[in-house]
Amino acid sequence: PVKITLAKGERQRDTVLSNDDWMRYIVECPQPWRDAAILVRGTGMRPGEVFSLRWENIHLNTTGGLIQVTEGKTKAARRMLPMVPAVYSALKARHEATGKPEEGWLFPAKTAEGHMNKDTAKGQHKRAIADANVKAKKGAGKQIKHFQPYVLRHTALTQLAEAGCDVFTLARIAGHSSITITQRYVHPQADAIDRAFQQTTKAALALPAAGE
C-alpha cells in the first residue's frame, strides 16, 4: 500500500492500496469475501452496506446495472450506484450461480443478522493477505502490508477524486451527509492546480493584443 498526503488539520493517515497489491490480494480472497471485496473496491460502498445487500436492490441488465443502497444512518446514505465492469461480472456470476434469485441476501450466512458481517469477513481477509505474502516470499516479491477492509472503500474514493471527480459528486457516491467528510479525499496537487488556472485563462481571461 502507498500513503496519501493529508490536508492540513487531518488527524490520521489513511492507506491507499496500490493496483499491484490489489491484484495480488484479490486473487487470494476466498468466497464470499472475494465478491464483497470487489463490490467495496468497485463502488466505494461501506463494507457493512455491501454485507447487507439484497437481490431486490440489484438491478442487472445485459451489459451493466445499478446497485440501490436503501438503508443508512442519514438520507445521504440511501443512493443508487452504477456497476463498473468488474462489479457487474462478479454480481452476474453470483446471480447465476445461486439460481437467479429475485430476493434474499447476496451474502447469506449463519450469523445473527442472517448475512455476512465484519466478523465473518475478517478471517477471509486476513487469510488472503497471508496467502499473497507466502507467494510473494517464494517469488522474492514485495509483501503486502496488513490493512483493514475499510481501506478498499478509501482507495476507491481516493482514486475517484484523483480522476477528477468533484467533491459534491464524490459525496453522493460515498453517501456522506456533509462534504466536510468528503474533502479528505480531494487534495489537488500542484500540477492539477496549474492546469485549472491554464484552462480558466484560456476560457475566461482573453486579453486584447498589445497596442489595441
Side-chain angles (χ1 to χ4, degrees), residues 32 52-53 61 83 94 99 116 130 138 150 152 160 194 197 204:
S52 61
L53 279 173
N61 56 43
M83 299 179 194
R94 175 165 286 272
M116 189 179 191
K138 290 180 178 178
Y150 198 88
L152 299 177
L160 282 168
D194 185 53
F197 271 94

Side-chain angles (χ1 to χ4, degrees), residues 25-196:
Y25 164 78
I26 194 61
V27 297
E28 302 300 333
C29 289
Q31 293 287 19
W33 171 242
R34 180 173 181 172
D35 284 350
I38 290 172
L39 273 163
V40 176
R41 176 65 184 78
T43 64
M45 291 172 64
R46 300 173 179 90
E49 293 174 332
V50 168
F51 299 153
S52 61
L53 279 173
R54 296 183 62 85
W55 284 115
E56 297 97 300
N57 306 125
I58 303 299
H59 308 286
L60 292 164
N61 56 43
T62 56
T63 58
L66 295 169
I67 299 171
Q68 186 177 15
V69 184
T70 59
E71 297 181 2
K73 294 180 179 179
T74 66
K75 183 179 179 180
R78 299 185 286 277
R79 60 205 188 278
M80 191 79 79
L81 297 170
M83 299 179 194
V84 298
V87 169
Y88 173 75
S89 295
L91 289 179
K92 186 73 171 177
R94 175 165 286 272
H95 189 239
E96 293 178 353
T98 52
K100 299 183 178 180
E102 296 182 0
E103 59 182 23
W105 304 114
L106 260 70
F107 304 106
K110 295 180 180 179
T111 62
E113 301 94 332
H115 58 74
M116 189 179 191
N117 59 28
K118 64 179 181 180
D119 294 324
T120 53
K122 185 177 180 180
Q124 295 181 38
H125 168 70
K126 290 179 67 175
R127 187 161 75 247
I129 295 175
D131 289 348
N133 285 340
V134 167
K135 285 188 177 180
K137 189 175 182 179
K138 290 180 178 178
K142 182 182 177 183
Q143 301 277 302
I144 299 176
K145 292 183 179 179
H146 180 74
F147 62 91
Q148 297 297 325
Y150 198 88
V151 163
L152 299 177
R153 167 175 159 87
H154 183 78
T155 298
L157 298 178
T158 298
Q159 292 190 346
L160 282 168
E162 290 175 346
C165 183
D166 67 88
V167 67
F168 297 101
T169 301
L170 192 61
R172 291 288 301 275
I173 293 170
H176 290 156
S177 58
S178 169
I179 63 168
T180 301
I181 304 170
T182 317
Q183 285 173 332
R184 66 190 296 192
Y185 300 101
V186 184
H187 305 143
Q189 302 301 314
D191 58 342
I193 294 172
D194 185 53
R195 286 196 304 272

